[in-house]
Amino acid sequence: MHPSDSCMNLWRRLWKYLLIAVVLYATVFLNIDRIRTFSTESSLVQVIETPPHPNWSQNTTYSAQFKDQRHSYQFVTIPKKQCSNNTKLQITILSTAGNFEIRQAIRDTWANPNNSKHVENNDIRISFIISAAQNEFLNSSIQKEIEKYDDLIVTDLYESYELLILKVHAILTYKQNFCESADFQLKIDDDMAVYMEGLYDSLSEKKQSSVDAISGIIWRNSPPVREKKHRWYVPMTLYSQKHFPPYIDGPIYLIGKNVIPKMLDATKNYSQWIIEDVFWTGILAKALQIRQINWANHLLRYVIELVPSRLKCLNGKPLIYAVHNMKGPQMIIDGYNKLTGVKCQ
Ligand SMILES: *[C@@H]1O[C@H](CO)[C@@H](O)[C@H](O)[C@H]1NC(C)=O
Ligand SMILES: *[C@@H]1O[C@H](CO)[C@@H](O)[C@H](O)[C@H]1NC(C)=O
Ligand SMILES: *[C@@H]1O[C@H](CO)[C@@H](O)[C@H](O)[C@H]1NC(C)=O
Ligand SMILES: *[C@@H]1O[C@H](CO)[C@@H](O)[C@H](O)[C@H]1NC(C)=O
Ligand SMILES: *[C@@H]1O[C@H](CO)[C@@H](O)[C@H](O)[C@H]1NC(C)=O
Ligand SMILES: *[C@@H]1O[C@H](CO)[C@@H](O)[C@H](O)[C@H]1NC(C)=O
């Protein structure tokens, strides 16, 4: 065999690999290029944006002042679409950064403008409130979610059960600063399904709601837990009486616009609690003599209650506004379909 023959053979074999290498290189190069353009584009968009609301700046610091503690926080992001002067109800859904699929199920069902004319024309303004992402991967996913759906309020509060009370502070502060004219604020957790038209109609019924009241499921005569290791432990030094004042169940409550500034002002007279609903809707409501309206007939607490005997009608309309304890996206969708599927004459 001649040396130049083997050289030719080598080339014949090598050109395939060379081609593959070129294609691979081009693919990688193009993608890197695309990734680069994508990230510069998105940061450019952020710089030239006008603020979504005249009261908003990333640097504005809000303060939650209690008798024994004080916390400062900021709204890192707020939706561009804000309340309008026809907005009657602002709904803020308590969520956590990682709950992407749950938020999507809510967007697809009860928060979907296609399913409610009141959501569509901004009579109802809905957003989620979360704490800033704790890692880069989550951060970039949330950044994309913000660009796509524009329905996240992001605070720099630390995410923990013990600090839920601050998240509610942020909900009320947000209402005061960015949606002051709306008559009602609904605080709701992200494990609920809602029949939106029923909820909205209740806002114009005096027996169901008032701008001077809080509505929801009222708990009476609940005793504080005194076992130190329990999640809901209440030290005697914080609250010494045998029973809590009547308070409203945390997963869903409606607050009238007139009582919100009073509640925010009153916190400074009280030590910081862990149990968010007892504090905001019980302790403060009692001190400020805020009326409580019972929605126990209109709310379900468990999936097993989604049965015809509970899904009744009243005056030709479905009785139930919402159901709690929907574990995961599919349950939210099923719960929503059941609540809205009730046929009344
Ligand atoms: C916000 O604060 C940062 C850091 O303190 C500062 O660099 C920036 O100029 C401030 N922006 C505004 C609009 O005040
Ligand atoms: C609502 O706001 C628009 C635009 O700012 C204004 O033109 C209109 O008069 C307002 N309507 C009411 C009822 O206040
Ligand atoms: C509403 O319906 C339109 C038309 O079918 C659809 O393109 C859009 O994605 C829907 N919006 C939502 C939020 O589901
Ligand atoms: C993501 O990180 C950037 C930079 O630290 C921060 O400004 C932004 O608020 C974060 N976004 C979210 C949604 O956590
Ligand atoms: C700005 O916030 C203040 C309360 O801090 C509120 O009284 C005022 O109505 C808000 N302005 C707008 C345009 O919503
Ligand atoms: C808070 O305490 C001060 C001083 O004792 C009192 O004047 C004020 O009425 C209290 N406010 C509330 C809302 O409890």
Side-chain angles (χ1 to χ4, degrees):
M1 205 167 57
H2 196 274
S4 70
D5 277 358
S6 76
C7 196
M8 286 293 280
N9 276 338
L10 191 69
W11 269 114
R12 254 179 234 136
R13 261 183 283 156
L14 267 184
W15 77 268
K16 284 186 213 157
Y17 296 107
L18 215 69
L19 192 69
I20 290 168
V22 167
V23 169
L24 265 177
Y25 177 76
T27 320
V28 169
F29 179 77
L30 279 179
N31 272 337
I32 285 174
D33 201 41
R34 206 176 293 158
I35 290 160
R36 273 199 204 117
T37 5
F38 178 73
S39 58
T40 46
E41 261 172 16
S42 53
S43 63
L44 268 182
V45 168
Q46 291 217 317
V47 173
I48 56 168
E49 258 170 30
T50 51
H53 191 282
N55 270 357
W56 184 76
S57 142
Q58 234 163 3
N59 285 9
T60 310
T61 301
Y62 299 89
S63 151
Q65 179 72 61
F66 298 93
K67 199 158 77 183
D68 57 340
Q69 291 185 58
R70 181 170 175 276
H71 303 266
S72 298
Y73 61 89
Q74 299 178 332
F75 294 106
V76 180
T77 301
I78 68 170
K80 291 190 204 69
K81 182 164 181 191
Q82 285 285 320
C83 286
S84 33
N85 50 15
N86 60 305
T87 304
K88 187 167 179 180
L89 169 65
Q90 172 160 271
I91 298 183
T92 313
I93 306 163
L94 226 92
S95 187
T96 50
N99 279 0
F100 298 103
E101 279 142 17
I102 286 174
R103 285 194 288 279
Q104 198 52 48
I106 293 174
R107 282 185 197 111
D108 289 343
T109 55
W110 57 269
N112 190 338
N114 290 349
N115 294 340
S116 159
K117 62 176 190 298
H118 295 300
V119 175
E120 191 189 7
N121 66 19
N122 223 28
D123 294 334
I124 306 175
R125 180 97 278 281
I126 305 176
S127 28
F128 298 91
I129 187 164
I130 62 171
S131 296
Q134 318 263 335
N135 66 61
E136 252 176 65
F137 174 73
L138 213 52
N139 181 303
S140 86
S141 307
I142 286 171
Q143 223 55 54
K144 280 180 203 145
E145 193 180 350
I146 288 167
E147 278 161 37
K148 190 159 180 200
Y149 299 106
D150 185 39
D151 60 2
L152 297 185
I153 301 167
V154 183
T155 71
D156 63 352
L157 285 167
Y158 185 73
E159 187 78 73
S160 86
Y161 178 77
E162 285 71 28
L163 297 179
L164 264 182
I165 184 170
L166 300 181
K167 236 170 162 179
V168 176
H169 191 282
I171 290 178
L172 301 181
T173 299
Y174 189 87
K175 166 73 173 68
Q176 262 331 84
N177 284 278
F178 305 108
C179 193
E180 210 213 343
S181 62
D183 284 344
F184 297 99
Q185 170 70 48
L186 188 81
K187 180 263 177 185
I188 185 168
D189 290 351
D190 69 359
D191 58 349
M192 299 213 51
V194 178
Y195 167 52
M196 200 53 97
E197 302 309 289
L199 182 76
Y200 189 79
D201 287 348
S202 76
L203 303 182
S204 41
E205 285 178 37
K206 277 198 185 127
K207 274 192 195 157
Q208 297 302 323
S209 60
S210 155
V211 288
D212 295 305
I214 306 179
S215 311
I217 296 177
I218 302 177
W219 295 128
R220 295 178 199 281
N221 301 320
S222 303
V225 174
R226 301 294 187 190
E227 291 150 48
K228 272 206 171 108
K229 293 209 167 123
H230 198 281
R231 191 188 211 193
W232 294 334
Y233 169 60
V234 176
M236 293 293 280
T237 49
L238 183 65
Y239 187 82
S240 59
Q241 293 173 50
K242 263 175 114 174
H243 297 107
F244 290 136
Y247 72 94
I248 309 231
D249 199 26
I252 176 170
Y253 50 85
L254 181 84
I255 313 181
K257 80 177 214 190
N258 291 350
V259 301
I260 294 172
K262 296 180 195 165
M263 288 165 83
L264 286 170
D265 184 52
T267 59
K268 61 178 187 293
N269 283 9
Y270 298 88
S271 295
Q272 184 176 327
W273 283 59
I274 287 175
I275 314 175
E276 155 261 320
D277 49 7
V278 173
F279 179 75
W280 288 106
T281 72
I283 301 292
L284 291 190
K286 187 179 176 198
L288 297 165
Q289 298 183 299
I290 299 170
R291 187 156 67 95
Q292 296 165 322
I293 298 176
N294 203 351
W295 276 6
N297 286 335
H298 297 279
L299 302 173
L300 303 178
R301 298 181 56 228
Y302 298 102
V303 65
I304 51 162
E305 294 182 88
L306 286 167
V307 289
S309 60
R310 299 299 315 269
L311 293 169
K312 287 187 289 203
C313 297
L314 180 71
N315 302 328
K317 288 186 202 167
L319 181 68
I320 303 298
Y321 307 154
V323 54
H324 181 222
N325 273 306
M326 300 289 98
K327 302 205 187 314
Q330 193 54 47
M331 238 191 225
I332 289 173
I333 294 167
D334 294 345
Y336 173 78
N337 288 336
K338 287 206 169 130
L339 290 182
T340 54
V342 176
K343 297 274 174 283
C344 300
Q345 301 312 321

